[in-house]
Amino acid sequence: MRTVYLNGEYVAENAAKVSVFDRGFTFADAIYEVTAVLQGKLLDFDLHAARLRRSLKEIAIALPIDDEALHAIHQQLIARNELYEGLIYLQVTRGVEDRSFAMPAPEVTPTLVLYTQQKHIVASPLAQQGMKIISLPDLRWGRCDIKTTQLLYACLAKEQARQQGADDAWLLKEGLITEGTSNNAFIVTAEGAVVTRELSRLLLPGITRGSLIKLIHEQGMRLEERSFTLEEVKNAAEAFITSSTSFVYPVINVDGAAVGDGKPGPLTQHIRQLYIDRAMALTA
Ligand code: PDD
């Protein structure tokens, strides 16, 4: 059984209980982060901590615990749960108060929960096979740059993909791809340029996205941060997604049509390997 961190205590997972009046439960009034663990070490903790602070600030939750203490909790959970590869999930809610749309009294303190999940990130079947995706309208709220736990539309979209025999969905707003349900979307053009949408309120500033862009620049490869259409995806040489729990996965099919030759693209595989090498070096 795993050990979970809840509000200052390490408890067995079946003993970790949160109030029915928690605003995370009633309003999805909560922020989360997912940080990869590789070789028993955290990947890019500082970047995740910085994004957490930004998300909390945007919805005005004051978390009375600093990054050093948060880091120590992550480390404790890795040790206590003997996690070698997988992720740490962190959630901060605005806290517990009788249901009311009005913001709670200042003395209400945030709820903080962290737990681990094992996952094969490097030796992943989807990385070998590639993913099939469908396109769906992006019906999410207007602040997708904040990492809130309001993920109902992402769950519904993933389920629709599954029912259509696909692995995931890419979301479309005004004819342009915003991102995947839980990942950032990339294409490789016939000319060999890697393209991903520029940051705005319509998509999450993915940590993997950011690190990968840096890596691509360092390698002297062509990268364009701009919006792209579904048509461009269908005509792309390659496509892929990025996230902390997948790193880089090839996309081989969109709405039933092959992307490129319908196999994981060579540039995508090269980029995935570069990313894994970087991650391994950082966690060695
Ligand atoms: N999801 N876009 C969305 C909507 C996401 O939910 C995520 C991450 C990303 C990629 O961000 P990053 O590279 O920082 O993981 C993009 C996490 C993994 C999740 O919800 O489990």
Side-chain angles (χ1 to χ4, degrees):
M1 195 185 296
R2 283 170 300 181
T3 295
V4 165
Y5 174 92
L6 173 60
N7 292 334
E9 289 179 61
Y10 293 93
V11 290
E13 63 179 65
N14 58 0
K17 303 269 198 277
V18 176
S19 166
V20 293
F21 299 111
D22 195 288
R23 288 179 64 96
F25 182 63
T26 41
F27 295 117
D29 187 357
I31 296 296
Y32 78 108
E33 270 301 327
V34 175
T35 306
V37 172
L38 203 60
Q39 308 184 109
K41 302 229 175 71
L42 290 162
L43 181 64
D44 290 329
F45 172 81
D46 293 351
L47 300 175
H48 286 277
R51 185 173 64 186
L52 172 68
R53 296 292 167 194
R54 178 188 179 270
S55 294
L56 290 170
K57 189 161 169 264
E58 290 297 317
I59 67 165
I61 291 181
L63 181 66
I65 169 166
D66 64 17
D67 285 356
E68 208 180 310
L70 279 181
H71 188 255
I73 298 166
H74 281 75
Q75 299 288 28
Q76 271 293 323
L77 286 179
I78 291 173
R80 288 178 190 237
N81 295 321
E82 296 177 358
L83 183 65
Y84 185 75
E85 193 168 318
L87 60 99
I88 297 193
Y89 177 85
L90 172 156
Q91 181 171 333
V92 183
T93 82
R94 200 179 301 275
V96 178
E97 199 179 63
D98 206 356
R99 185 175 183 274
S100 161
F101 283 82
M103 288 293 162
E107 60 272 18
V108 171
T109 52
T111 300
L112 176 62
V113 180
L114 287 90
Y115 54 81
T116 56
Q117 283 184 342
Q118 270 185 14
K119 185 175 191 260
H120 291 294
I121 304 177
V122 176
S124 154
L126 276 183
Q128 305 287 314
Q129 293 157 218
M131 299 171 77
K132 292 181 183 166
I133 59 168
I134 59 168
S135 61
L136 286 177
D138 190 341
L139 301 179
R140 301 173 302 168
W141 78 323
R143 290 304 306 274
C144 294
D145 57 317
I146 308 174
K147 203 163 170 62
T148 76
T149 59
Q150 286 186 68
L151 296 170
L152 177 58
Y153 188 68
C155 294
L156 294 174
K158 253 191 226 266
E159 176 57 17
Q160 198 167 328
R162 193 192 65 79
Q163 284 176 7
Q164 292 180 27
D167 303 295
D168 206 351
W170 279 9
L171 306 175
L172 271 171
K173 204 165 199 98
E174 292 166 0
L176 302 168
I177 303 286
T178 50
E179 60 182 335
T181 59
S182 60
N183 44 66
N184 289 112
F186 288 72
I187 55 170
V188 180
T189 66
E191 294 75 37
V194 178
V195 182
T196 194
R197 189 169 178 139
E198 74 282 3
L199 294 182
S200 71
R201 291 185 165 187
L202 298 179
L203 65 153
L204 189 78
I207 302 302
T208 320
R209 174 192 179 281
S211 300
L212 196 71
I213 287 175
K214 240 176 107 188
L215 206 56
I216 288 173
H217 281 311
E218 282 164 18
Q219 295 287 318
M221 294 191 256
R222 255 179 74 193
L223 183 115
E224 296 169 16
E225 276 187 82
R226 62 166 175 85
S227 303
F228 53 93
T229 62
L230 182 59
E231 219 33 51
E232 281 181 275
V233 180
K234 291 183 173 163
N235 294 323
E238 302 180 23
F240 61 91
I241 59 123
T242 62
S243 79
S244 296
T245 53
S246 63
F247 291 172
V248 175
Y249 281 174
V251 168
I252 56 165
N253 189 292
V254 177
D255 291 335
V259 175
D261 62 4
K263 297 195 194 95
L267 195 65
T268 301
Q269 286 172 300
H270 177 59
I271 286 172
R272 176 175 169 80
Q273 196 52 53
L274 284 174
Y275 192 84
I276 290 174
D277 292 347
R278 168 192 175 274
M280 288 287 190
L282 287 175
T283 57

